[in-house]
Amino acid sequence: MKHAVTNRIILAGFLLLLMFVQASAQTDPLPSWNEGPAKKAIVEFVKTTTDKTSPKFVAPEARIAAFDQDGTLWVEQPMYTQVLYCLDRVPAVVKAKPDLANVEPFKTVLSGNREAMAKFKMPDLEMLVAATLTGMSVEEFSAEAKKWLDTAKDPRWKRPYTELTYLPMQEVLKYFRDNGYRTYIVTGGGQDFVRLYSQRVYGIPPEQVVGTAGGTKYRYTKDGKPYLLKEPKMLLNDNDAGKPEGIYLMIGRRPYAAFGNSIGDKQMLEYTQAGDGARLMMLVHHDDDKREYAYGPNTRVGTFTDALMAEAKKKNWTVISMKDDWKQIFAFEK
Amino acid sequence: MKHAVTNRIILAGFLLLLMFVQASAQTDPLPSWNEGPAKKAIVEFVKTTTDKTSPKFVAPEARIAAFDQDGTLWVEQPMYTQVLYCLDRVPAVVKAKPDLANVEPFKTVLSGNREAMAKFKMPDLEMLVAATLTGMSVEEFSAEAKKWLDTAKDPRWKRPYTELTYLPMQEVLKYFRDNGYRTYIVTGGGQDFVRLYSQRVYGIPPEQVVGTAGGTKYRYTKDGKPYLLKEPKMLLNDNDAGKPEGIYLMIGRRPYAAFGNSIGDKQMLEYTQAGDGARLMMLVHHDDDKREYAYGPNTRVGTFTDALMAEAKKKNWTVISMKDDWKQIFAFEK
């Protein structure tokens, strides 16, 4: 027994030594990033807020970093992934309620005319969301959406949507977490939709996803089993001013870092910046039409207006150029 | 250098050995609990869900335990602590808006007649909450409430309200956390009020507090600094069915254990029980008029009806008798 303990001590010592050596090795936490102001801003922020001797040190429990999802962590063109899910659900919905086949916007969806669909206005989208994402238990919703996520593929890259995440941003998520930050998704997308894959895809647990949220209603089945029914009622519209409001509701702490890519992230970045000490505000700019997309003021989604660019300059937010700052876009490349 | 490394290995080995010895020591995780069915239920639940060889093992990331606050973690008589805060704020509110002095319910509050206040109906309380907790920035709210929490004292025990937590429940919180559970407060009280002290008082970080939540509005000061204004608008009434609905909204996972003390916790316990595998549902019963309070069906707060007791029996929920199960109520005793 005494011998076993000695062996254990020696083994433990070697393991510690190994960890020490690994930690000392100079490894680049952001290998998919080119050297430049964007990469530098990230690394300097993390170093200064986690160095105990720094006047801008942030206590571990307060280390919160907020990330928009669509266009910031993964592809949002030509349509938000969740909208594609709603469209794909329409035939099943119409099968259950055949009268809808002749009612807009369902009629257009069934016609398959993507150009017409791209012109849907907010009331159309709200009707689609209500019809395809509500009126069922949260378990039914999860099962359906998971099935779709496992099988649906993006037509350009011919891969599941969940593989279309940006490798450089995955590195940022990991780098922040390795330095004691809790990474939150703060998305205009549906909170319970994103929660289905956030752990698997981003390493972010469901409770760290803040998103647009509908209400649920507590009900009982005929045999008395309780369940939550998804209702067509908006509790939180997690866009624009809704992002800081959602952060206050769901986290109750101001983030130290915030990443976005569109005008809908402006208030989240402002709110982050309004805190004390070191704060990091960054915007992903889609300027790479070869490897991904280039889009700006005139797109339906991910609007990056000239006003936003001016705001970024004025407020010292760092703009990430996908073209110049990212060596590689997706993990599956090369 | 080589010598220093060897020393470090030996030191590390001793530290590991020390940890090993400490872990093996048979210490009672719930020393303020008498032996009995309640204590047994807690210990068996934790053991069976954290033992890898158990068929009811729960993966660490899914280990969620939900605790009602008022009457479950701390004293709720003769009034909820947060209601006392609202009442104490009334003079300052009336000073700013003198017309309110002659308007109910403010007039009664100013009269100091506690018996009359105890008869306030829901609309009265809503007016008080709106007047005392909204119409200010979240920072102003925090500063005011913190000041009060630091100075106000319970008249019976002559101590800050934050010391009136139940020692046996503090042990349960710690025991769960030591076994990889994340402990959440799920309270009918104001979410942002409870978040102000949850870390200090219960070791629960603000983002793990789910409570009744009002809306906020994103605004700018005259010099362009953004802030969140607390609005008199209810987003989540975290009582009754609102508890499972709030859990879905804020956590997105079903708890494995739920502790409550009143009819308002019934749905949370039902929802917890409706999950697979081992689940723990417990109710604190206030039956100790000497050391705390004895109350049941006829109280304004913490209503423990005969119907709830019958429900507990039927559904196999464990009732905790404060009188019989708890050796000591408060940490400051003896």
Side-chain angles (χ1 to χ4, degrees):
Chain A
M1 183 58 195
K2 209 172 178 185
H3 205 68
V5 170
T6 311
N7 282 345
R8 190 170 298 164
I9 293 174
I10 291 170
L11 179 65
F14 275 114
L15 287 174
L16 276 179
L17 191 65
L18 194 66
M19 284 162 64
F20 177 78
V21 169
Q22 284 178 326
S24 328
Q26 290 293 333
T27 52
D28 182 353
L30 303 173
S32 301
W33 290 70
N34 287 314
E35 300 305 321
K39 179 173 182 174
K40 195 165 164 241
I42 298 168
V43 173
E44 279 184 0
F45 169 82
V46 168
K47 287 205 169 146
T48 196
T49 57
T50 57
D51 170 5
K52 274 201 175 160
T53 67
S54 157
K56 294 182 170 172
F57 176 74
V58 176
E61 65 273 16
R63 290 183 199 159
I64 303 280
F67 296 82
D68 167 60
Q69 182 192 224
D70 294 299
T72 299
L73 296 179
W74 76 357
V75 173
E76 64 180 345
Q77 295 289 0
M79 278 196 244
Y80 297 130
T81 303
Q82 193 176 2
V83 172
L84 297 171
Y85 172 62
C86 292
L87 298 178
D88 282 357
R89 283 265 306 157
V90 165
V93 167
V94 172
K95 203 177 164 193
K97 293 183 188 167
D99 290 353
L100 291 178
N102 298 311
V103 177
E104 289 298 352
F106 305 98
K107 198 174 161 187
T108 297
V109 175
L110 291 175
S111 77
N113 183 344
R114 288 265 148 155
E115 250 173 75
M117 289 183 229
K119 285 177 190 143
F120 281 155
K121 298 267 182 301
M122 204 36 96
D124 301 312
L125 292 175
E126 279 169 8
M127 275 181 78
L128 282 171
V129 165
T132 57
L133 304 181
T134 73
M136 66 197 81
S137 76
V138 301
E139 284 80 11
E140 283 165 336
F141 162 74
S142 300
E144 280 299 323
K146 271 186 186 163
K147 221 190 297 171
W148 184 85
L149 286 162
D150 285 345
T151 52
K153 285 189 177 168
D154 173 86
R156 176 168 168 191
W157 284 281
K158 300 179 177 47
R159 289 175 176 272
Y161 293 99
T162 49
E163 289 186 22
L164 300 187
T165 67
Y166 305 133
L167 178 62
M169 292 306 295
Q170 292 276 16
E171 291 170 1
V172 171
L173 290 173
K174 185 171 181 308
Y175 180 46
F176 271 83
R177 289 196 291 262
D178 287 348
N179 283 279
Y181 274 86
R182 266 160 303 148
T183 52
Y184 277 78
I185 290 174
V186 179
T187 174
Q191 181 173 275
D192 52 9
F193 184 78
V194 179
R195 280 176 170 175
L196 294 176
Y197 57 82
S198 60
Q199 180 67 52
R200 171 170 65 89
V201 172
Y202 302 114
I204 293 178
E207 59 273 25
Q208 286 171 216
V209 174
V210 179
T212 295
T216 58
K217 197 141 205 155
Y218 188 76
R219 291 281 182 85
Y220 300 91
T221 60
K222 274 182 203 159
D223 45 343
K225 201 182 155 166
Y227 69 97
L228 292 169
L229 179 71
K230 277 173 68 70
E231 287 210 304
K233 181 190 146 200
M234 178 87 89
L235 280 185
L236 173 66
N237 178 358
D238 202 44
N239 285 296
D240 308 305
K243 291 208 173 194
E245 291 161 12
I247 287 169
Y248 182 72
L249 175 67
M250 305 284 297
I251 315 177
R253 303 189 196 254
R254 192 192 300 263
Y256 276 83
F259 290 74
N261 78 303
S262 84
I263 195 76
D265 299 310
K266 182 176 92 96
Q267 288 87 343
M268 175 166 76
L269 268 62
E270 283 175 352
Y271 180 67
T272 300
Q273 187 165 33
D276 297 335
R279 305 277 165 168
L280 181 68
M281 287 68 58
M282 300 195 82
L283 288 169
V284 175
H285 193 206
H286 293 261
D287 57 0
D288 193 333
D289 58 351
K290 287 223 181 79
R291 297 187 300 170
E292 202 237 13
Y293 294 99
Y295 54 97
N298 300 317
T299 44
R300 266 186 70 79
V301 297
T303 316
F304 198 111
T305 59
D306 294 343
L308 183 63
M309 187 62 98
E311 192 99 1
K313 283 211 177 105
K314 196 177 98 191
K315 294 185 170 160
N316 230 357
W317 299 346
T318 307
V319 174
I320 300 163
S321 160
M322 290 182 76
K323 201 171 159 184
D324 299 334
D325 287 314
W326 291 357
K327 282 185 198 165
Q328 186 178 341
I329 309 276
F330 302 111
F332 56 76
E333 288 168 347
K334 77 174 173 187
Chain B
M1 182 59 195
K2 210 173 178 185
H3 206 69
V5 170
T6 312
N7 282 344
R8 190 171 296 163
I9 293 175
I10 292 170
L11 178 65
F14 276 115
L15 287 174
L16 276 179
L17 192 66
L18 193 69
M19 283 162 65
F20 178 77
V21 169
Q22 284 178 328
S24 330
Q26 291 291 334
T27 51
D28 181 353
L30 303 173
S32 301
W33 290 70
N34 287 314
E35 299 304 322
K39 179 173 181 174
K40 197 166 163 238
I42 298 167
V43 173
E44 279 185 0
F45 170 80
V46 168
K47 288 205 168 147
T48 196
T49 57
T50 57
D51 170 5
K52 273 199 175 161
T53 68
S54 156
K56 294 181 172 173
F57 176 73
V58 176
E61 65 273 15
R63 290 183 199 160
I64 302 280
F67 296 83
D68 168 60
Q69 182 192 223
D70 295 299
T72 299
L73 295 179
W74 76 355
V75 173
E76 65 180 345
Q77 296 287 0
M79 278 195 244
Y80 296 130
T81 303
Q82 193 176 3
V83 172
L84 296 172
Y85 172 62
C86 291
L87 298 178
D88 283 357
R89 282 264 308 157
V90 165
V93 167
V94 172
K95 203 176 163 194
K97 293 183 189 168
D99 290 354
L100 291 178
N102 298 311
V103 177
E104 291 296 354
F106 305 98
K107 198 175 162 185
T108 298
V109 175
L110 291 174
S111 78
N113 184 344
R114 288 265 149 154
E115 252 173 73
M117 289 182 230
K119 284 177 191 144
F120 281 154
K121 297 266 183 300
M122 201 39 94
D124 301 312
L125 292 176
E126 279 170 7
M127 275 180 77
L128 283 170
V129 165
T132 58
L133 304 182
T134 73
M136 66 197 80
S137 76
V138 302
E139 284 80 13
E140 284 165 336
F141 162 74
S142 299
E144 280 299 323
K146 271 186 186 162
K147 222 191 296 171
W148 184 85
L149 286 162
D150 285 346
T151 52
K153 284 189 178 169
D154 173 86
R156 176 167 168 192
W157 284 282
K158 299 179 178 50
R159 290 175 176 273
Y161 292 99
T162 49
E163 288 186 22
L164 300 187
T165 67
Y166 305 133
L167 178 62
M169 291 306 296
Q170 291 275 17
E171 292 171 0
V172 171
L173 290 174
K174 186 171 180 308
Y175 180 45
F176 270 84
R177 289 195 291 261
D178 287 348
N179 283 279
Y181 275 87
R182 266 160 304 148
T183 52
Y184 277 78
I185 290 174
V186 180
T187 174
Q191 181 173 274
D192 53 8
F193 185 79
V194 178
R195 281 176 170 174
L196 294 176
Y197 56 81
S198 60
Q199 181 67 53
R200 172 170 64 90
V201 173
Y202 302 114
I204 293 177
E207 60 272 25
Q208 286 172 215
V209 175
V210 179
T212 295
T216 58
K217 196 139 204 157
Y218 188 76
R219 290 282 182 85
Y220 299 92
T221 61
K222 272 182 206 160
D223 45 343
K225 203 185 155 162
Y227 68 97
L228 291 168
L229 179 72
K230 277 173 68 70
E231 288 210 304
K233 181 191 146 200
M234 177 87 89
L235 280 186
L236 173 67
N237 178 356
D238 202 44
N239 285 295
D240 308 305
K243 291 208 174 195
E245 290 161 13
I247 288 169
Y248 182 72
L249 174 68
M250 304 283 298
I251 316 177
R253 302 188 196 253
R254 192 192 298 265
Y256 276 82
F259 290 74
N261 78 302
S262 83
I263 195 75
D265 299 310
K266 182 175 93 94
Q267 287 87 341
M268 177 168 74
L269 269 62
E270 284 175 351
Y271 181 67
T272 300
Q273 187 164 32
D276 297 334
R279 305 278 164 167
L280 181 69
M281 287 67 59
M282 301 196 81
L283 287 169
V284 175
H285 193 207
H286 293 261
D287 57 1
D288 192 332
D289 58 350
K290 288 222 179 79
R291 298 187 300 171
E292 202 238 12
Y293 294 99
Y295 54 98
N298 300 318
T299 44
R300 266 185 71 78
V301 297
T303 316
F304 198 112
T305 59
D306 294 343
L308 184 62
M309 187 61 98
E311 192 98 0
K313 283 210 177 105
K314 196 176 98 190
K315 294 187 169 159
N316 230 357
W317 299 347
T318 307
V319 174
I320 299 163
S321 160
M322 290 182 75
K323 200 171 162 185
D324 299 333
D325 286 316
W326 290 359
K327 282 185 196 163
Q328 187 178 339
I329 309 276
F330 302 111
F332 56 76
E333 287 168 349
K334 76 176 175 190

